[in-house]
Structures are given as C-alpha cells and as structure tokens.
C-alpha cells in the first residue's frame, strides 16, 4: 500500500470557499513538505514542517503537522482561481540523521471555479 | 538568484536512442536528487548525488540508466536505448545540505521525455 496517502484525490470548489487537503503517513514523519505543481510544470515549494504540532502560514495557506507526526493538513482560506493546481505532500521518513529522499503522495488536484 | 535549471524542457527520442538530461543546482548547493513522474503516477525518487559521488541510487532502474554529478558542470541523467516506458517527466532537486532538514529541497521545472 502507498506509504503516503493524500485525500481527497481531487477537489472542486467555488471561489471564496475554504478547503483542506490531508496527507497521512504509515511512518513517523521527520520532515513534511508541501509543494504545488501546475499541470506540465515544476514544483513550487510551499512549506516545510518538522516538529509535531507545528503550524505554518503563508498568505491564505496554512499547514499543520499533528502531534504524533503522522499526518499533515493543508488548509486554504477563501480560495481563488490562482490556487488551482496539484498539491503534493512529500515526506522524509528516513530519520533526521540520515539524508532525506522524499516519498511523495499521489497528489490532490484542486480546481477553483470563479 | 537562479533556481534549479533543467534542460532541455522537452526532449523527444526515438526508441533505441540515448537521452541526456541536465540539471544545474542552485548556486552553492552540492546535493542533487533526481525524481521521475510517470503518467498517472506520483513522483518517485531515483538517485541522490553529491559532487563526484553517487550516494543512493536505490530508485534507479538496474539497466540503461546512469547519473553523474561531476566536479565541474551540471548533473547528468543518462538513459540509454530508450523505450516507450521511459516517457515521463524527470525532475531534479537540490539542497545545500544532506537531506532537506532545515533548508528544504528546491525543484527544477523538469524535463519531459517523450519516446516515439
């Protein structure tokens, strides 16, 4: 089974609505990275979380890492068409003292209707 | 301050030809990672390199694929005798330290390889 599960797989919302994307791991997360990818383009770094309970915000996007460090959520407030894209969570499950090759979730496709 | 530069952006190869993908990391970054994104699949780790060293190639197919990161110049991912199943987007990432702890990973825009 997938080591990193994202939900939902796709999401369609009306502009102005709030939404949440979840990323659940079967292993302890030593580093959790959120990226956004436009179709056919590269990955844009959004946020990185390391500590259990950590929460970071940038503009209208907030990401949290739960206390047990096995789940992260990405919340977008008052969504805009510019938020549309594929959201990917990437995790370092190898431990903080080793190099971190990332395991990625399958992605969540977000569509925002004007 | 340039990010990770990958070229070419698009590459078309006939079956049996060689494909060379280049990656110039962020200036000052000495750690490079290659990932592959197959159609309908997620990003998968391929290889982790430091200057002149392959640290982890556990995600590389055993045959036809090789990677290098020379002392001077970009990192190169080489695919020999390409097959249709190699068609994918190949992404390069770099970091200033081992792993992404504290600094994260910067990804390039990718090279989209199409094998015809």
């Amino acid at each position: 089974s997938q080591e990193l599960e994202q939900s939902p797989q796709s999401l369609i919302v009306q502009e102005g609505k709030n939404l949440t994307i979840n990323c659940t791991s079967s292993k302890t997360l030593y580093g959790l990275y959120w990226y956004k990818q436009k179709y056919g383009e590269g990955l844009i770094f959004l946020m990185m979380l390391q500590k259990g309970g950590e929460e970071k915000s940038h503009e209208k996007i907030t990401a949290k890492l739960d206390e047990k460090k096995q789940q992260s959520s990405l919340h977008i407030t008052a969504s805009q068409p510019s938020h549309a894209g594929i959201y990917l969570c990437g995790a370092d499950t190898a431990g903080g003292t080793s190099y971190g090759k990332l395991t990625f979730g399958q992605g969540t496709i977000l569509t925002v209707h004007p | 301050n340039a990010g990770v530069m990958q070229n070419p952006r698009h590459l078309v190869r006939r079956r049996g030809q060689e494909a060379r993908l280049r990656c110039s990391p962020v200036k000052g970054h000495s750690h490079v990672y290659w990932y592959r994104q197959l159609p309908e699949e997620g990003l998968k780790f391929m290889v982790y390199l430091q200057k002149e060293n392959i640290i982890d190639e556990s995600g590389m197919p055993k045959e036809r694929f090789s990677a290098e990161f020379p002392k001077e110049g970009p990192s190169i991912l080489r695919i020999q005798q390409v097959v249709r199943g190699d068609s994918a987007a190949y992404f390069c990432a770099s970091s200033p330290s081992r792993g992404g702890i504290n600094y994260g990973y910067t990804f390039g825009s990718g090279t989209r390889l199409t094998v015809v």
Side-chain angles (χ1 to χ4, degrees), chain A residues 2-55:
Chain A
Q2 191 77 7
E3 187 175 305
L4 212 60
E5 294 276 354
Q6 279 188 243
S7 63
Q9 290 186 341
S10 64
L11 193 53
I12 302 173
V13 300
Q14 205 67 31
E15 183 178 359
K17 295 294 185 184
N18 302 336
L19 62 104
T20 299
I21 298 169
N22 293 303
C23 178
T24 303
S25 173
S26 57
K27 299 181 180 180
T28 298
L29 299 169
Y30 293 95
L32 191 288
Y33 304 79
W34 283 101
Y35 288 89
K36 179 185 173 185
Q37 183 180 24
K38 290 278 193 182
Y39 182 75
E41 298 182 12
L43 277 68
I44 300 167
F45 173 74
L46 296 175
M47 267 167 280
M48 175 178 68
L49 304 163
Q50 288 178 236
K51 299 175 184 175
E54 188 174 11
E55 179 175 320

Side-chain angles (χ1 to χ4, degrees), chain B residues 18-88:
Chain B
E18 178 179 286
R20 281 192 171 204
L21 288 64
R22 293 175 181 75
C23 168
S24 295
V26 173
K27 189 176 180 182
H29 287 193
S30 58
H31 303 256
V32 165
Y33 314 80
W34 284 93
Y35 288 80
R36 178 166 67 172
Q37 189 174 41
L38 289 164
E40 307 305 321
E41 291 188 23
L43 272 168
K44 303 290 184 188
F45 168 84
M46 298 181 75
V47 62
Y48 163 40
L49 310 107
Q50 291 182 27
K51 287 281 187 181
E52 300 183 280
N53 283 303
I54 297 174
I55 307 302
D56 182 340
E57 55 183 346
S58 59
M60 289 275 270
K62 298 257 184 276
E63 297 178 348
R64 302 186 296 107
F65 284 72
S66 62
E68 62 177 11
F69 189 17
K71 188 176 180 181
E72 301 290 339
S75 175
I76 306 286
L77 180 67
R78 184 182 292 109
I79 311 172
Q80 296 178 303
Q81 299 175 327
V82 296
V83 301
R84 289 223 169 103
D86 297 332
S87 296

